[in-house]
Amino acid sequence: MRISDSSPAARLKELEVELRPGVSLTEKTSLGIGGTTDQLLLRRYETIPEVMRLLAENHVPYRFLGGGTNVLIADGELPWVVLHLPSAHPGVRIEGNAAFVDASADLGGMVTFCAKHDLGGMEGLIGVPGSVGGALRMNAGAYGTQIGSYVREVELYRASKGEVETIGGDEIRFDYRHTSFAPDDVMLRVKLELPSKPYKEIVTGIRVCNEKRRSSQPLNQKSAGCIFKNPPGGSAGRMIDELGLKGHRVGDAMVSDRHANFFVNAGNSSCADMLKLIDYVRERVRTSYGIELENEVIVWRN
Ligand code: EPU
């Protein structure tokens, strides 16, 4: 989708929105898959309601892209523009046991920044790639930790009302890789409350998690982490492994040899091939185990 030549372009500039025409999303996602579209960088959160109004008035469809680490994006020319909140480093302010974090901050960077202030609890999240906003909206978790446990307040743009709102952590339901945020809510800032812990102790915890991750996940390959959610009481990775599907490919889309719930882009995989691989594996698991695996990765079709 190109808005480069259309009427909102000039007004967007006034709102300090940077327009990057014809960006390839293969470079913006950890899977290295995705078509081309215009990208808008929203430099000031305060302008978001007006930017959204402008896009609506001009019938410009949009999607918000965070860290791009848990998304599978369609190939070719995409029918929507991509909005992005550029990251601020570190994007975290500490007050006592509270951390006020920008949604665009890097999740791992935030965990280490808090650790340096003797605030822990989130060691398990250290190797989860992506932005704090993305982690928040899907309640990212690993090694027994989930971000939702620490959330006390969220500032978000509520598309249904066209307004920025602050809501309490107790108003949000955090489940396994799922939250009660509306699909079009846009995360802006979060207040976390973290337990005090000596830096050294946190670092030891971080090392243990990093080691576990390195030994079981294909960290040096292009992936979106786990493709499927684990079914209640089960393990998607173990089932796919038991079916002998490690290394199975459709074009350059491949089930990782290291962790069967990671599907990697082993070259120049298209989205279409990755989707075929996902469907194939889902079907094999359904036939053999009678379980319908649900995607963990978010798919943006065109
Ligand atoms: N297993 C196999 N073969 C494999 C992979 C796993 O037999 O190819 C077995 C393991 O040996 C283990 C069990 O399956 O007994 C579970 O595996 P693992 O400990 O690797 O955890 P997981 O359930 O596959 C979950 C999260 C990961 C998170 C890890 C660590 C989901 C879908 N996955 O993986 O999160 O890093 O636990 O906490 O919940 C992600 O969300 O993208 C992600 C990678």
Side-chain angles (χ1 to χ4, degrees):
M1 167 112 208
R2 303 304 161 107
I3 61 169
S4 336
D5 313 319
S6 62
S7 55
R11 180 70 189 125
L12 286 171
K13 203 169 176 188
E14 284 167 18
L15 293 168
E16 291 177 45
V17 176
E18 185 187 332
L19 172 60
R20 295 191 174 163
V23 170
S24 165
L25 297 185
T26 55
E27 285 148 35
K28 306 286 174 195
T29 60
S30 57
L31 260 174
I33 294 175
T36 304
T37 189
D38 284 356
Q39 184 189 30
L40 303 180
L41 302 183
L42 278 52
R43 300 212 172 274
R44 286 177 48 216
Y45 287 8
E46 307 73 54
T47 66
I48 288 178
E50 179 148 11
V51 172
M52 302 308 221
R53 265 195 299 278
L54 197 62
L55 295 178
E57 278 164 17
N58 288 276
H59 312 288
V60 178
Y62 64 83
R63 303 269 168 110
F64 255 95
L65 184 66
T69 54
N70 195 42
V71 65
L72 170 59
I73 303 182
D75 307 308
E77 182 68 31
L78 301 167
W80 17 262
V81 297
V82 158
L83 309 184
H84 185 69
L85 303 169
S87 49
H89 294 292
V92 190
R93 182 171 56 84
I94 306 285
E95 258 178 47
N97 282 62
F100 296 84
V101 193
D102 287 347
S104 59
D106 173 70
L107 181 64
M110 183 271 283
V111 174
T112 11
F113 186 87
C114 292
K116 286 179 188 154
H117 290 78
D118 297 314
L119 294 178
M122 297 185 296
E123 293 83 328
L125 293 174
I126 189 70
V128 178
S131 67
V132 169
L136 186 60
R137 91 149 305 126
M138 65 164 302
N139 191 20
Y143 304 112
T145 306
Q146 51 175 25
I147 192 168
S149 316
Y150 302 102
V151 173
R152 293 296 169 268
E153 226 169 64
V154 176
E155 188 183 340
L156 49 80
Y157 171 75
R158 262 260 131 112
S160 56
K161 293 187 183 165
E163 285 169 11
V164 172
E165 275 187 5
T166 301
I167 57 174
D170 52 1
E171 294 174 67
I172 309 157
R173 237 194 35 244
F174 291 99
D175 299 319
Y176 167 62
R177 303 291 196 274
H178 186 265
T179 61
S180 56
F181 292 117
D184 53 1
D185 283 344
V186 181
M187 307 296 115
L188 298 178
R189 290 189 187 92
V190 59
K191 175 185 176 186
L192 303 170
E193 193 178 308
L194 301 168
S196 299
K197 229 183 197 186
Y199 177 64
K200 272 193 171 167
E201 215 177 286
I202 303 174
V203 169
T204 307
I206 284 176
R207 286 211 182 106
V208 170
C209 291
N210 274 339
E211 195 37 54
K212 281 191 200 162
R213 203 179 279 282
R214 260 196 299 273
S215 66
S216 63
Q217 299 182 358
L219 302 185
N220 55 355
Q221 284 181 289
K222 292 184 205 163
S223 85
C226 286
I227 282 285
F228 299 111
K229 293 183 186 181
N230 283 331
S235 161
R238 186 182 296 132
M239 288 188 285
I240 301 166
D241 193 356
E242 282 171 359
L243 288 169
L245 291 172
K246 277 185 170 169
H248 185 82
R249 330 173 48 127
V250 176
D252 278 341
M254 184 179 102
V255 177
S256 159
D257 308 312
R258 205 171 172 86
H259 192 300
N261 197 12
F262 278 63
F263 291 10
V264 300
N265 174 0
N268 287 306
S269 174
S270 62
C271 178
D273 281 350
M274 190 56 81
L275 286 171
K276 276 186 206 149
L277 183 64
I278 293 173
D279 285 348
Y280 174 76
V281 172
R282 196 193 329 269
E283 177 59 29
R284 290 285 309 269
V285 169
R286 185 193 299 125
T287 313
S288 302
Y289 294 88
I291 289 172
E292 180 76 18
L293 290 178
E294 195 187 323
N295 283 359
E296 204 229 77
V297 69
I298 293 157
V299 181
W300 287 1
R301 294 171 200 271
N302 55 13

